[in-house]
Short mmCIF file of all heavy atoms in Angstrom, two decimals:
data_model
loop_
_atom_site.label_atom_id
_atom_site.label_comp_id
_atom_site.label_asym_id
_atom_site.label_seq_id
_atom_site.Cartn_x
_atom_site.Cartn_y
_atom_site.Cartn_z
N MET A 1 5.19 33.23 15.05
CA MET A 1 4.43 32.00 14.87
C MET A 1 4.02 31.82 13.41
O MET A 1 4.17 30.75 12.86
CB MET A 1 3.21 32.05 15.79
CG MET A 1 2.34 30.85 15.69
SD MET A 1 3.07 29.53 16.64
CE MET A 1 1.74 28.40 16.66
N TYR A 2 3.50 32.88 12.80
CA TYR A 2 3.10 32.82 11.39
C TYR A 2 4.28 32.42 10.51
O TYR A 2 4.13 31.59 9.62
CB TYR A 2 2.52 34.16 10.93
CG TYR A 2 2.31 34.22 9.44
CD1 TYR A 2 1.17 33.69 8.87
CD2 TYR A 2 3.26 34.80 8.61
CE1 TYR A 2 0.97 33.72 7.50
CE2 TYR A 2 3.08 34.83 7.25
CZ TYR A 2 1.93 34.30 6.69
OH TYR A 2 1.75 34.32 5.34
N ASN A 3 5.42 33.04 10.76
CA ASN A 3 6.61 32.77 9.96
C ASN A 3 7.01 31.31 10.03
O ASN A 3 7.37 30.70 9.01
CB ASN A 3 7.75 33.67 10.44
CG ASN A 3 8.70 34.03 9.34
OD1 ASN A 3 8.38 33.87 8.17
ND2 ASN A 3 9.86 34.52 9.71
N THR A 4 6.95 30.72 11.20
CA THR A 4 7.29 29.31 11.37
C THR A 4 6.34 28.42 10.60
O THR A 4 6.77 27.50 9.88
CB THR A 4 7.25 28.93 12.87
OG1 THR A 4 8.17 29.78 13.57
CG2 THR A 4 7.61 27.48 13.08
N ILE A 5 5.06 28.67 10.69
CA ILE A 5 4.07 27.88 9.97
C ILE A 5 4.24 28.04 8.47
O ILE A 5 4.18 27.06 7.71
CB ILE A 5 2.63 28.27 10.41
CG1 ILE A 5 2.43 27.86 11.86
CG2 ILE A 5 1.60 27.62 9.50
CD1 ILE A 5 1.16 28.37 12.48
N TYR A 6 4.49 29.26 8.02
CA TYR A 6 4.71 29.51 6.60
C TYR A 6 5.89 28.70 6.07
O TYR A 6 5.83 28.06 5.01
CB TYR A 6 4.94 31.00 6.35
CG TYR A 6 5.31 31.31 4.93
CD1 TYR A 6 4.34 31.38 3.95
CD2 TYR A 6 6.63 31.53 4.57
CE1 TYR A 6 4.67 31.65 2.64
CE2 TYR A 6 6.98 31.80 3.28
CZ TYR A 6 6.00 31.87 2.30
OH TYR A 6 6.35 32.13 1.01
N HIS A 7 7.01 28.70 6.81
CA HIS A 7 8.20 27.96 6.38
C HIS A 7 7.95 26.46 6.35
O HIS A 7 8.48 25.76 5.49
CB HIS A 7 9.39 28.30 7.25
CG HIS A 7 9.99 29.64 6.95
ND1 HIS A 7 9.53 30.48 5.98
CD2 HIS A 7 11.02 30.28 7.51
CE1 HIS A 7 10.25 31.58 5.94
NE2 HIS A 7 11.17 31.48 6.88
N ILE A 8 7.17 25.96 7.27
CA ILE A 8 6.85 24.53 7.27
C ILE A 8 6.01 24.17 6.04
O ILE A 8 6.32 23.22 5.32
CB ILE A 8 6.11 24.13 8.56
CG1 ILE A 8 7.06 24.20 9.76
CG2 ILE A 8 5.50 22.73 8.44
CD1 ILE A 8 6.37 24.06 11.10
N LEU A 9 4.97 24.95 5.79
CA LEU A 9 4.06 24.62 4.69
C LEU A 9 4.67 24.83 3.32
O LEU A 9 4.21 24.28 2.33
CB LEU A 9 2.77 25.45 4.82
CG LEU A 9 1.90 25.10 6.01
CD1 LEU A 9 0.72 26.03 6.09
CD2 LEU A 9 1.45 23.66 5.95
N THR A 10 5.74 25.63 3.21
CA THR A 10 6.38 25.85 1.92
C THR A 10 7.68 25.06 1.77
O THR A 10 8.42 25.26 0.81
CB THR A 10 6.66 27.35 1.71
OG1 THR A 10 7.45 27.83 2.79
CG2 THR A 10 5.36 28.14 1.64
N ASN A 11 7.93 24.14 2.69
CA ASN A 11 9.11 23.29 2.60
C ASN A 11 8.73 22.00 1.87
O ASN A 11 7.79 21.31 2.26
CB ASN A 11 9.61 22.97 4.02
CG ASN A 11 10.93 22.25 4.01
OD1 ASN A 11 11.23 21.47 3.12
ND2 ASN A 11 11.72 22.53 5.02
N PRO A 12 9.46 21.65 0.80
CA PRO A 12 9.12 20.44 0.04
C PRO A 12 9.15 19.16 0.88
O PRO A 12 8.43 18.21 0.58
CB PRO A 12 10.19 20.38 -1.05
CG PRO A 12 10.77 21.73 -1.12
CD PRO A 12 10.58 22.36 0.22
N ALA A 13 9.94 19.11 1.93
CA ALA A 13 10.00 17.92 2.78
C ALA A 13 8.65 17.66 3.44
O ALA A 13 8.30 16.52 3.69
CB ALA A 13 11.08 18.08 3.84
N TYR A 14 7.90 18.70 3.72
CA TYR A 14 6.57 18.56 4.31
C TYR A 14 5.63 17.82 3.38
O TYR A 14 4.68 17.18 3.81
CB TYR A 14 6.03 19.95 4.67
CG TYR A 14 4.86 19.95 5.61
CD1 TYR A 14 5.01 19.58 6.93
CD2 TYR A 14 3.60 20.30 5.17
CE1 TYR A 14 3.94 19.59 7.80
CE2 TYR A 14 2.52 20.31 6.03
CZ TYR A 14 2.70 19.95 7.36
OH TYR A 14 1.64 19.94 8.21
N ALA A 15 5.91 17.90 2.07
CA ALA A 15 5.08 17.22 1.06
C ALA A 15 5.68 15.88 0.67
O ALA A 15 5.23 15.24 -0.28
CB ALA A 15 4.92 18.09 -0.17
N GLY A 16 6.72 15.44 1.39
CA GLY A 16 7.30 14.13 1.12
C GLY A 16 8.38 14.12 0.05
O GLY A 16 8.73 13.06 -0.46
N ALA A 17 8.93 15.28 -0.29
CA ALA A 17 9.95 15.35 -1.33
C ALA A 17 11.34 15.54 -0.72
O ALA A 17 11.49 16.15 0.33
CB ALA A 17 9.65 16.51 -2.28
N TYR A 18 12.33 15.02 -1.42
CA TYR A 18 13.73 15.29 -1.07
C TYR A 18 14.24 16.30 -2.07
O TYR A 18 14.09 16.13 -3.29
CB TYR A 18 14.58 14.02 -1.14
CG TYR A 18 16.04 14.32 -0.97
CD1 TYR A 18 16.57 14.49 0.30
CD2 TYR A 18 16.88 14.43 -2.07
CE1 TYR A 18 17.91 14.79 0.47
CE2 TYR A 18 18.23 14.72 -1.90
CZ TYR A 18 18.74 14.89 -0.64
OH TYR A 18 20.05 15.20 -0.48
N VAL A 19 14.84 17.38 -1.57
CA VAL A 19 15.34 18.44 -2.42
C VAL A 19 16.74 18.81 -1.99
O VAL A 19 17.05 18.88 -0.80
CB VAL A 19 14.43 19.70 -2.34
CG1 VAL A 19 15.01 20.84 -3.13
CG2 VAL A 19 13.04 19.38 -2.83
N PHE A 20 17.60 19.07 -2.99
CA PHE A 20 18.93 19.59 -2.72
C PHE A 20 19.19 20.71 -3.71
O PHE A 20 18.85 20.59 -4.88
CB PHE A 20 20.00 18.50 -2.89
CG PHE A 20 21.38 19.00 -2.62
CD1 PHE A 20 21.83 19.14 -1.32
CD2 PHE A 20 22.22 19.34 -3.66
CE1 PHE A 20 23.10 19.62 -1.08
CE2 PHE A 20 23.48 19.81 -3.43
CZ PHE A 20 23.94 19.95 -2.12
N GLY A 21 19.75 21.80 -3.23
CA GLY A 21 20.10 22.91 -4.10
C GLY A 21 19.04 23.99 -4.20
O GLY A 21 18.98 24.70 -5.19
N ARG A 22 18.20 24.13 -3.16
CA ARG A 22 17.20 25.20 -3.18
C ARG A 22 17.81 26.57 -3.03
O ARG A 22 17.23 27.55 -3.44
CB ARG A 22 16.20 24.99 -2.03
CG ARG A 22 15.22 23.91 -2.30
CD ARG A 22 14.26 23.70 -1.18
NE ARG A 22 13.79 24.96 -0.57
CZ ARG A 22 13.04 25.01 0.49
NH1 ARG A 22 12.64 23.93 1.09
NH2 ARG A 22 12.66 26.16 0.99
N SER A 23 18.96 26.65 -2.41
CA SER A 23 19.64 27.93 -2.28
C SER A 23 21.07 27.79 -2.80
O SER A 23 21.58 26.69 -2.91
CB SER A 23 19.64 28.41 -0.82
OG SER A 23 20.37 27.50 -0.02
N GLY A 24 21.66 28.90 -3.12
CA GLY A 24 23.01 28.85 -3.68
C GLY A 24 23.83 30.03 -3.20
O GLY A 24 23.45 30.77 -2.30
N SER A 25 24.99 30.21 -3.82
CA SER A 25 25.85 31.32 -3.49
C SER A 25 26.33 31.99 -4.79
O SER A 25 26.39 31.35 -5.84
CB SER A 25 27.05 30.87 -2.66
OG SER A 25 27.80 29.91 -3.35
N ARG A 26 26.63 33.26 -4.68
CA ARG A 26 27.14 34.05 -5.81
C ARG A 26 28.48 34.64 -5.42
O ARG A 26 28.64 35.13 -4.30
CB ARG A 26 26.18 35.17 -6.17
CG ARG A 26 24.87 34.72 -6.71
CD ARG A 26 24.04 35.93 -7.10
NE ARG A 26 22.73 35.47 -7.54
CZ ARG A 26 21.58 36.04 -7.22
NH1 ARG A 26 21.58 37.10 -6.45
NH2 ARG A 26 20.46 35.55 -7.67
N VAL A 27 29.41 34.63 -6.35
CA VAL A 27 30.73 35.21 -6.12
C VAL A 27 30.87 36.41 -7.05
O VAL A 27 30.66 36.30 -8.25
CB VAL A 27 31.84 34.20 -6.38
CG1 VAL A 27 33.20 34.84 -6.19
CG2 VAL A 27 31.69 32.98 -5.49
N THR A 28 31.19 37.57 -6.47
CA THR A 28 31.43 38.77 -7.26
C THR A 28 32.73 39.42 -6.79
O THR A 28 33.26 39.09 -5.73
CB THR A 28 30.28 39.80 -7.09
OG1 THR A 28 30.15 40.14 -5.72
CG2 THR A 28 28.96 39.23 -7.62
N ILE A 29 33.23 40.31 -7.60
CA ILE A 29 34.43 41.08 -7.24
C ILE A 29 33.98 42.52 -6.99
O ILE A 29 33.41 43.16 -7.86
CB ILE A 29 35.48 41.04 -8.37
CG1 ILE A 29 35.83 39.61 -8.76
CG2 ILE A 29 36.71 41.86 -7.97
CD1 ILE A 29 36.51 38.82 -7.66
N GLU A 30 34.23 43.01 -5.79
CA GLU A 30 33.89 44.38 -5.43
C GLU A 30 35.12 45.05 -4.84
O GLU A 30 35.70 44.54 -3.88
CB GLU A 30 32.75 44.40 -4.41
CG GLU A 30 31.42 43.95 -4.97
CD GLU A 30 30.31 44.04 -3.95
OE1 GLU A 30 30.52 44.62 -2.85
OE2 GLU A 30 29.21 43.53 -4.24
N ALA A 31 35.50 46.17 -5.44
CA ALA A 31 36.68 46.94 -4.99
C ALA A 31 37.92 46.04 -4.94
O ALA A 31 38.73 46.13 -4.04
CB ALA A 31 36.41 47.58 -3.63
N GLY A 32 38.01 45.15 -5.95
CA GLY A 32 39.19 44.29 -6.03
C GLY A 32 39.21 43.12 -5.06
O GLY A 32 40.20 42.41 -4.97
N ARG A 33 38.12 42.89 -4.36
CA ARG A 33 38.05 41.79 -3.40
C ARG A 33 36.90 40.87 -3.74
O ARG A 33 35.86 41.30 -4.22
CB ARG A 33 37.87 42.34 -1.99
CG ARG A 33 39.01 43.27 -1.58
CD ARG A 33 38.93 43.58 -0.15
NE ARG A 33 39.22 42.36 0.58
CZ ARG A 33 39.78 42.34 1.76
NH1 ARG A 33 40.09 43.46 2.37
NH2 ARG A 33 40.00 41.20 2.39
N LYS A 34 37.09 39.61 -3.44
CA LYS A 34 36.05 38.62 -3.68
C LYS A 34 34.97 38.76 -2.61
O LYS A 34 35.25 38.86 -1.43
CB LYS A 34 36.64 37.21 -3.63
CG LYS A 34 35.62 36.11 -3.84
CD LYS A 34 36.25 34.75 -3.98
CE LYS A 34 36.69 34.20 -2.68
NZ LYS A 34 37.08 32.78 -2.75
N ARG A 35 33.69 38.77 -3.07
CA ARG A 35 32.55 38.83 -2.16
C ARG A 35 31.64 37.66 -2.47
O ARG A 35 31.23 37.46 -3.61
CB ARG A 35 31.79 40.14 -2.34
CG ARG A 35 30.60 40.25 -1.42
CD ARG A 35 30.02 41.65 -1.44
NE ARG A 35 28.95 41.74 -0.48
CZ ARG A 35 27.67 41.87 -0.81
NH1 ARG A 35 27.32 41.98 -2.06
NH2 ARG A 35 26.74 41.92 0.13
N ILE A 36 31.31 36.89 -1.43
CA ILE A 36 30.44 35.73 -1.59
C ILE A 36 29.11 36.03 -0.89
O ILE A 36 29.09 36.36 0.29
CB ILE A 36 31.07 34.47 -0.99
CG1 ILE A 36 32.41 34.18 -1.66
CG2 ILE A 36 30.13 33.28 -1.12
CD1 ILE A 36 33.18 33.04 -1.02
N VAL A 37 28.02 35.91 -1.66
CA VAL A 37 26.68 36.10 -1.11
C VAL A 37 26.04 34.72 -1.07
O VAL A 37 25.87 34.07 -2.10
CB VAL A 37 25.85 37.06 -1.97
CG1 VAL A 37 24.43 37.19 -1.42
CG2 VAL A 37 26.52 38.41 -2.06
N ARG A 38 25.70 34.25 0.11
CA ARG A 38 25.13 32.92 0.28
C ARG A 38 23.65 33.01 0.62
O ARG A 38 23.19 33.98 1.19
CB ARG A 38 25.85 32.17 1.38
CG ARG A 38 27.29 31.84 1.03
CD ARG A 38 27.94 31.03 2.15
NE ARG A 38 29.26 30.59 1.75
CZ ARG A 38 30.37 31.28 1.96
NH1 ARG A 38 30.32 32.44 2.58
NH2 ARG A 38 31.53 30.79 1.57
N GLY A 39 22.91 31.94 0.28
CA GLY A 39 21.55 31.82 0.73
C GLY A 39 20.50 32.39 -0.21
O GLY A 39 19.36 32.51 0.20
N PHE A 40 20.86 32.73 -1.45
CA PHE A 40 19.80 33.22 -2.32
C PHE A 40 18.99 32.04 -2.84
O PHE A 40 19.52 30.95 -3.06
CB PHE A 40 20.38 34.06 -3.48
CG PHE A 40 21.03 33.26 -4.57
CD1 PHE A 40 20.30 32.87 -5.68
CD2 PHE A 40 22.35 32.92 -4.51
CE1 PHE A 40 20.88 32.13 -6.69
CE2 PHE A 40 22.95 32.18 -5.51
CZ PHE A 40 22.21 31.79 -6.59
N ARG A 41 17.71 32.25 -3.00
CA ARG A 41 16.80 31.18 -3.41
C ARG A 41 16.87 30.96 -4.91
O ARG A 41 16.87 31.92 -5.67
CB ARG A 41 15.38 31.49 -2.98
CG ARG A 41 15.26 31.53 -1.46
CD ARG A 41 13.86 31.64 -0.96
NE ARG A 41 13.03 30.52 -1.27
CZ ARG A 41 12.87 29.46 -0.50
NH1 ARG A 41 13.55 29.36 0.61
NH2 ARG A 41 12.04 28.50 -0.82
N ARG A 42 16.94 29.71 -5.31
CA ARG A 42 16.95 29.36 -6.71
C ARG A 42 15.54 29.02 -7.19
O ARG A 42 14.69 28.60 -6.39
CB ARG A 42 17.82 28.13 -6.95
CG ARG A 42 19.27 28.37 -6.71
CD ARG A 42 20.03 27.09 -6.98
NE ARG A 42 21.44 27.30 -6.86
CZ ARG A 42 22.31 26.33 -6.92
NH1 ARG A 42 21.91 25.08 -7.06
NH2 ARG A 42 23.59 26.59 -6.82
N GLU A 43 15.29 29.17 -8.48
CA GLU A 43 14.04 28.73 -9.07
C GLU A 43 13.97 27.21 -9.04
O GLU A 43 15.01 26.52 -9.03
CB GLU A 43 13.94 29.20 -10.53
CG GLU A 43 13.88 30.72 -10.67
CD GLU A 43 12.61 31.29 -10.11
OE1 GLU A 43 11.54 30.64 -10.24
OE2 GLU A 43 12.67 32.39 -9.53
N ARG A 44 12.77 26.66 -9.04
CA ARG A 44 12.60 25.21 -8.95
C ARG A 44 13.32 24.48 -10.08
O ARG A 44 13.88 23.41 -9.88
CB ARG A 44 11.13 24.83 -8.93
CG ARG A 44 10.92 23.35 -8.67
CD ARG A 44 9.50 22.96 -8.60
NE ARG A 44 8.80 23.72 -7.59
CZ ARG A 44 7.50 23.72 -7.44
NH1 ARG A 44 6.73 23.01 -8.21
NH2 ARG A 44 6.93 24.45 -6.50
N ASN A 45 13.34 25.05 -11.26
CA ASN A 45 14.02 24.41 -12.39
C ASN A 45 15.52 24.33 -12.19
O ASN A 45 16.19 23.52 -12.84
CB ASN A 45 13.72 25.18 -13.69
CG ASN A 45 12.27 25.09 -14.08
OD1 ASN A 45 11.57 24.16 -13.69
ND2 ASN A 45 11.82 26.06 -14.83
N ASP A 46 16.08 25.15 -11.29
CA ASP A 46 17.51 25.18 -11.04
C ASP A 46 17.95 24.34 -9.85
O ASP A 46 19.13 24.26 -9.54
CB ASP A 46 17.98 26.63 -10.85
CG ASP A 46 17.77 27.46 -12.09
OD1 ASP A 46 17.79 26.90 -13.20
OD2 ASP A 46 17.59 28.69 -11.95
N TRP A 47 16.99 23.72 -9.13
CA TRP A 47 17.35 22.85 -8.02
C TRP A 47 18.15 21.68 -8.58
O TRP A 47 17.84 21.15 -9.64
CB TRP A 47 16.12 22.32 -7.31
CG TRP A 47 15.31 23.34 -6.58
CD1 TRP A 47 15.62 24.66 -6.36
CD2 TRP A 47 14.03 23.13 -5.97
NE1 TRP A 47 14.62 25.27 -5.65
CE2 TRP A 47 13.64 24.36 -5.41
CE3 TRP A 47 13.20 22.04 -5.85
CZ2 TRP A 47 12.44 24.51 -4.73
CZ3 TRP A 47 12.01 22.19 -5.18
CH2 TRP A 47 11.64 23.42 -4.61
N GLU A 48 19.18 21.26 -7.86
CA GLU A 48 20.02 20.16 -8.33
C GLU A 48 19.31 18.82 -8.24
O GLU A 48 19.47 17.98 -9.11
CB GLU A 48 21.34 20.14 -7.54
CG GLU A 48 22.17 21.39 -7.80
CD GLU A 48 23.44 21.40 -7.00
OE1 GLU A 48 24.06 20.32 -6.83
OE2 GLU A 48 23.82 22.48 -6.54
N VAL A 49 18.55 18.59 -7.17
CA VAL A 49 17.85 17.32 -6.98
C VAL A 49 16.43 17.60 -6.49
O VAL A 49 16.24 18.41 -5.58
CB VAL A 49 18.58 16.44 -5.92
CG1 VAL A 49 17.82 15.15 -5.68
CG2 VAL A 49 20.01 16.15 -6.35
N LEU A 50 15.46 16.93 -7.09
CA LEU A 50 14.07 16.96 -6.62
C LEU A 50 13.49 15.57 -6.81
O LEU A 50 13.33 15.11 -7.92
CB LEU A 50 13.23 17.97 -7.39
CG LEU A 50 11.72 17.91 -7.16
CD1 LEU A 50 11.38 18.13 -5.68
CD2 LEU A 50 10.99 18.93 -8.03
N ILE A 51 13.25 14.88 -5.69
CA ILE A 51 12.67 13.54 -5.72
C ILE A 51 11.32 13.62 -5.02
O ILE A 51 11.24 13.68 -3.79
CB ILE A 51 13.57 12.49 -5.04
CG1 ILE A 51 14.97 12.49 -5.66
CG2 ILE A 51 12.92 11.12 -5.13
CD1 ILE A 51 15.96 11.63 -4.93
N LYS A 52 10.25 13.66 -5.82
CA LYS A 52 8.90 13.70 -5.26
C LYS A 52 8.56 12.33 -4.69
O LYS A 52 9.07 11.32 -5.17
CB LYS A 52 7.89 14.08 -6.34
CG LYS A 52 8.11 15.46 -6.91
CD LYS A 52 7.13 15.73 -8.02
CE LYS A 52 7.43 17.03 -8.72
NZ LYS A 52 6.58 17.24 -9.89
N ASP A 53 7.73 12.28 -3.70
CA ASP A 53 7.31 11.03 -3.04
C ASP A 53 8.50 10.24 -2.51
O ASP A 53 8.48 9.01 -2.51
CB ASP A 53 6.47 10.17 -3.99
CG ASP A 53 5.21 10.88 -4.44
OD1 ASP A 53 4.60 11.58 -3.60
OD2 ASP A 53 4.83 10.74 -5.62
N HIS A 54 9.51 10.94 -2.03
CA HIS A 54 10.68 10.29 -1.44
C HIS A 54 10.31 9.62 -0.12
O HIS A 54 10.82 8.57 0.22
CB HIS A 54 11.79 11.32 -1.24
CG HIS A 54 13.01 10.77 -0.60
ND1 HIS A 54 13.25 10.87 0.75
CD2 HIS A 54 14.07 10.10 -1.13
CE1 HIS A 54 14.41 10.28 1.03
NE2 HIS A 54 14.91 9.82 -0.10
N HIS A 55 9.45 10.26 0.63
CA HIS A 55 8.95 9.72 1.89
C HIS A 55 7.51 10.19 2.07
O HIS A 55 7.01 11.00 1.30
CB HIS A 55 9.83 10.18 3.06
CG HIS A 55 9.93 11.67 3.20
ND1 HIS A 55 10.87 12.41 2.49
CD2 HIS A 55 9.20 12.55 3.91
CE1 HIS A 55 10.71 13.68 2.81
NE2 HIS A 55 9.70 13.80 3.65
N GLU A 56 6.85 9.64 3.07
CA GLU A 56 5.46 10.02 3.32
C GLU A 56 5.40 11.47 3.76
O GLU A 56 6.12 11.90 4.65
CB GLU A 56 4.86 9.12 4.40
CG GLU A 56 3.39 9.33 4.60
CD GLU A 56 2.81 8.35 5.60
OE1 GLU A 56 3.47 7.36 5.94
OE2 GLU A 56 1.68 8.60 6.05
N GLY A 57 4.52 12.24 3.11
CA GLY A 57 4.38 13.65 3.43
C GLY A 57 3.13 13.92 4.25
O GLY A 57 2.24 13.08 4.36
N TYR A 58 3.09 15.10 4.83
CA TYR A 58 1.92 15.53 5.58
C TYR A 58 0.86 16.12 4.67
O TYR A 58 -0.31 16.17 5.02
CB TYR A 58 2.31 16.53 6.66
CG TYR A 58 3.20 15.93 7.71
CD1 TYR A 58 4.58 16.07 7.64
CD2 TYR A 58 2.66 15.21 8.77
CE1 TYR A 58 5.40 15.50 8.61
CE2 TYR A 58 3.46 14.64 9.73
CZ TYR A 58 4.84 14.79 9.64
OH TYR A 58 5.64 14.23 10.59
N ILE A 59 1.30 16.65 3.52
CA ILE A 59 0.39 17.19 2.51
C ILE A 59 0.79 16.61 1.17
O ILE A 59 1.88 16.07 1.01
CB ILE A 59 0.44 18.74 2.47
CG1 ILE A 59 1.84 19.24 2.11
CG2 ILE A 59 -0.05 19.35 3.77
CD1 ILE A 59 1.92 20.75 1.91
N THR A 60 -0.09 16.72 0.19
CA THR A 60 0.22 16.21 -1.16
C THR A 60 1.10 17.22 -1.89
O THR A 60 1.21 18.38 -1.50
CB THR A 60 -1.06 15.98 -1.97
OG1 THR A 60 -1.68 17.25 -2.19
CG2 THR A 60 -2.02 15.03 -1.25
N TRP A 61 1.71 16.73 -2.98
CA TRP A 61 2.54 17.63 -3.79
C TRP A 61 1.68 18.74 -4.39
O TRP A 61 2.12 19.89 -4.48
CB TRP A 61 3.26 16.85 -4.87
CG TRP A 61 4.22 17.72 -5.62
CD1 TRP A 61 4.05 18.24 -6.87
CD2 TRP A 61 5.47 18.22 -5.16
NE1 TRP A 61 5.12 19.02 -7.19
CE2 TRP A 61 6.01 19.02 -6.17
CE3 TRP A 61 6.19 18.06 -3.98
CZ2 TRP A 61 7.23 19.67 -6.04
CZ3 TRP A 61 7.41 18.71 -3.86
CH2 TRP A 61 7.92 19.50 -4.88
N ALA A 62 0.44 18.44 -4.77
CA ALA A 62 -0.46 19.46 -5.32
C ALA A 62 -0.75 20.54 -4.28
O ALA A 62 -0.77 21.74 -4.61
CB ALA A 62 -1.74 18.82 -5.80
N GLU A 63 -0.95 20.15 -3.03
CA GLU A 63 -1.18 21.13 -1.97
C GLU A 63 0.06 21.98 -1.73
O GLU A 63 -0.03 23.18 -1.50
CB GLU A 63 -1.59 20.44 -0.67
CG GLU A 63 -2.97 19.83 -0.71
CD GLU A 63 -3.27 18.98 0.50
OE1 GLU A 63 -2.40 18.19 0.92
OE2 GLU A 63 -4.39 19.11 1.04
N PHE A 64 1.22 21.34 -1.79
CA PHE A 64 2.47 22.08 -1.64
C PHE A 64 2.61 23.14 -2.72
O PHE A 64 2.95 24.28 -2.45
CB PHE A 64 3.66 21.13 -1.68
CG PHE A 64 4.99 21.83 -1.83
CD1 PHE A 64 5.55 22.47 -0.76
CD2 PHE A 64 5.63 21.86 -3.05
CE1 PHE A 64 6.76 23.14 -0.89
CE2 PHE A 64 6.84 22.51 -3.18
CZ PHE A 64 7.40 23.16 -2.10
N GLU A 65 2.35 22.75 -3.97
CA GLU A 65 2.46 23.71 -5.08
C GLU A 65 1.47 24.84 -4.92
O GLU A 65 1.78 26.00 -5.22
CB GLU A 65 2.28 23.00 -6.41
CG GLU A 65 3.46 22.14 -6.78
CD GLU A 65 3.35 21.51 -8.13
OE1 GLU A 65 2.24 21.10 -8.52
OE2 GLU A 65 4.38 21.45 -8.83
N LYS A 66 0.27 24.54 -4.41
CA LYS A 66 -0.72 25.60 -4.16
C LYS A 66 -0.24 26.56 -3.09
O LYS A 66 -0.45 27.76 -3.18
CB LYS A 66 -2.05 24.96 -3.77
CG LYS A 66 -3.20 25.93 -3.72
CD LYS A 66 -4.52 25.18 -3.53
CE LYS A 66 -4.93 25.34 -2.09
NZ LYS A 66 -6.22 24.75 -1.78
N ASN A 67 0.45 26.05 -2.10
CA ASN A 67 0.99 26.88 -1.02
C ASN A 67 2.07 27.84 -1.51
O ASN A 67 2.37 28.83 -0.85
CB ASN A 67 1.57 26.04 0.11
CG ASN A 67 0.52 25.31 0.89
OD1 ASN A 67 -0.64 25.67 0.84
ND2 ASN A 67 0.92 24.30 1.63
N GLN A 68 2.68 27.54 -2.66
CA GLN A 68 3.76 28.36 -3.18
C GLN A 68 3.26 29.70 -3.70
O GLN A 68 4.04 30.59 -3.93
CB GLN A 68 4.54 27.63 -4.27
CG GLN A 68 5.19 26.36 -3.80
CD GLN A 68 6.07 26.57 -2.58
OE1 GLN A 68 7.01 27.35 -2.59
NE2 GLN A 68 5.73 25.89 -1.50
N GLY A 69 1.96 29.82 -3.90
CA GLY A 69 1.40 31.07 -4.37
C GLY A 69 1.37 31.17 -5.87
O GLY A 69 1.60 30.18 -6.58
N PRO A 70 1.08 32.37 -6.39
CA PRO A 70 0.89 32.54 -7.84
C PRO A 70 2.11 32.30 -8.65
O PRO A 70 3.15 32.16 -8.53
CB PRO A 70 0.47 33.98 -7.98
CG PRO A 70 0.59 34.63 -6.67
CD PRO A 70 0.87 33.59 -5.65
#
């Protein structure tokens, strides 16, 4: 239950923002074979799209940023 609430409160959509590119993939070569690691989290500066106030949110953008922690 805690995990679900945490994910909701830390999702930018909950604050009314549209975001694309929060996670990405990395390609490496290991033992001569291609290895793809998907789902790593990107820093906010590396998100491809961030449109604040895209739609009505349940919390403000300031509250969302506070929820992100230190």
Side-chain angles (χ1 to χ4, degrees):
M1 179 80 168
Y2 170 83
N3 210 16
T4 302
I5 293 171
Y6 174 80
H7 284 359
I8 290 170
L9 293 176
T10 57
N11 188 327
Y14 195 70
Y18 172 81
V19 175
F20 180 79
R22 284 179 41 185
S23 64
S25 59
R26 294 183 183 137
V27 178
T28 59
I29 305 295
E30 292 182 9
R33 301 190 68 150
K34 179 172 77 169
R35 180 170 184 249
I36 301 173
V37 178
R38 293 183 173 90
F40 76 93
R41 296 188 64 91
R42 293 181 175 173
E43 295 293 324
R44 187 178 304 170
N45 294 336
D46 297 332
W47 293 352
E48 295 178 38
V49 177
L50 169 59
I51 304 172
K52 297 176 187 174
D53 299 321
H54 178 264
H55 58 274
E56 187 175 345
Y58 295 97
I59 61 174
T60 65
W61 185 256
E63 290 171 316
F64 167 77
E65 288 184 321
K66 190 171 103 177
N67 290 342
Q68 299 307 301

